[in-house]
Amino acid sequence: MTKGQTPSQTVGPYFAYGLTPEQYGYPLASIASPDLRTPDVEGRQIRIEGRVLDGKGEAIDDAMIEIWQADPQGRYAHPADPSYNKGRGNIAFKGFGRCGTGTDPENRFIFDSVKPGAVDDSQAPHINVIVFMRGLLSHLYTRIYFADEADANAKDPVLLSVPEDRRDTLVAAREESGGTVVYRFDIHMQGENETVFFDV
Amino acid sequence: MTTPPKPYSPRDWSSHPPIIAPDYKSTPLRGATKPLIPIRQSLSELTGPVFGQDSLGELDNDLTKNGRKDGEPLGERIIVSGKVVDELGRPQPNMLVEVWQANAAGRYVHKVDQHNAPLDPNFFGGGRCVTDDQGVYRFYSVKPGAYPWGNHPNAWRPNHIHFSLFGPSIATRLVTQMYFPGDPLLDLDPIFLSSPEKARDRLISEFDLSLTEEEFALGYRFDIVLRGPWETPMETA
Ligand SMILES: [Fe+3]
């Protein structure tokens, strides 16, 4: 008989040199970065920008965001995905990114990636998000959906499981600036527009 | 084969800290206030980034060496090792374990750490290792010092090492802290005390003479239990 799950503890204020060292200028190689793009990945390049806002609406400067996404063909780079070994052309694309909010003057997280494809027949394209910060004892999960996928979003079972008046908190607005497609996704920890977090 | 992977057991909220724990004063403005919405685990949750041995640098698992400039770091050398298992006790091989910690004086290299304790030019404090085929990880370091924080008057964090693991999917993700046995600060620390009482001892490493290397370093064992597969509920006819 084993002990139960090891409890979560906060990532604390000093995660940067351990988990996101290159982004913060520390001398340790990073295992992941805010730039997910690889030379071989085909698909539409996108940028994801957002802030993590506390209960006073202030942007948090010591949060860490992780994203996990499928490639443009809707395949996760993981052996549990049945399509993983089926004709992957973009083998270098891992689909995982990490970004702290402490290096941008506006405390944003900024990811450069490619737009994910639909994962299976039922789900709209989305990016899985894990939120960590000082003051958060257990990490939280949310998802980024795309405002320009309205038809797919309307049928997505996860979005449909969310109360209608809160679905907007999961949909990133699309902007185009200088040829770059930017999706804006603020994470509200509290307040009227509190982001939906999932019990994964 | 197109059978989707099996779902993981839920996060056991009777073992994890609450989202808001008011004694830890940063939580009331930062923790979510609305109930988490249940999600049916799909491929999105049942997959996650894969990091094996090839993601490690040569000295990543030796914090007594990976920050050296012109000598050895100060402090008590330690070996930290343990088994990563799921709730069924099954070893989790080839899993990345990332760690970071203060130096022996209780000071982090981090730019926002302003604690008036010395930095050690020969200690960086970040590293990582990967579990072997028995699910065992192991790294060398020095025992981290306690450090003050502004949570309440005369607040000190107990000696601890930060841990980050993915496990086999994003559903099994875990960030936690390892503590040391017999630390008098544990009973006073709102972060440690935030975890439910029955689960707190899972955060405390054990001194282990069999891990200890003679005339070199003290051994501490810290086993980690990640979520396991969702077991079919017993029929209660
Ligand atoms: Fe710490």
Side-chain angles (χ1 to χ4, degrees), chain A residues 14, chain B residues 108 147 157 160 162 177:
Chain A
Y14 306 130
Chain B
Y108 285 91
Y147 59 86
R157 293 296 332 278
H160 63 276
H162 295 267
Q177 301 182 27

Side-chain angles (χ1 to χ4, degrees), chain B residues 3-44:
Chain B
T3 326
K6 291 212 170 66
Y8 288 93
S9 64
R11 273 208 272 185
D12 172 15
W13 290 106
S14 74
S15 292
H16 294 294
I19 303 294
I20 292 179
D23 287 347
Y24 174 17
K25 298 215 165 64
S26 305
T27 70
L29 271 179
R30 291 185 163 200
T33 64
K34 296 192 160 79
L36 305 184
I37 293 189
I39 196 170
R40 207 174 134 253
Q41 293 169 23
S42 69
L43 264 189
S44 297

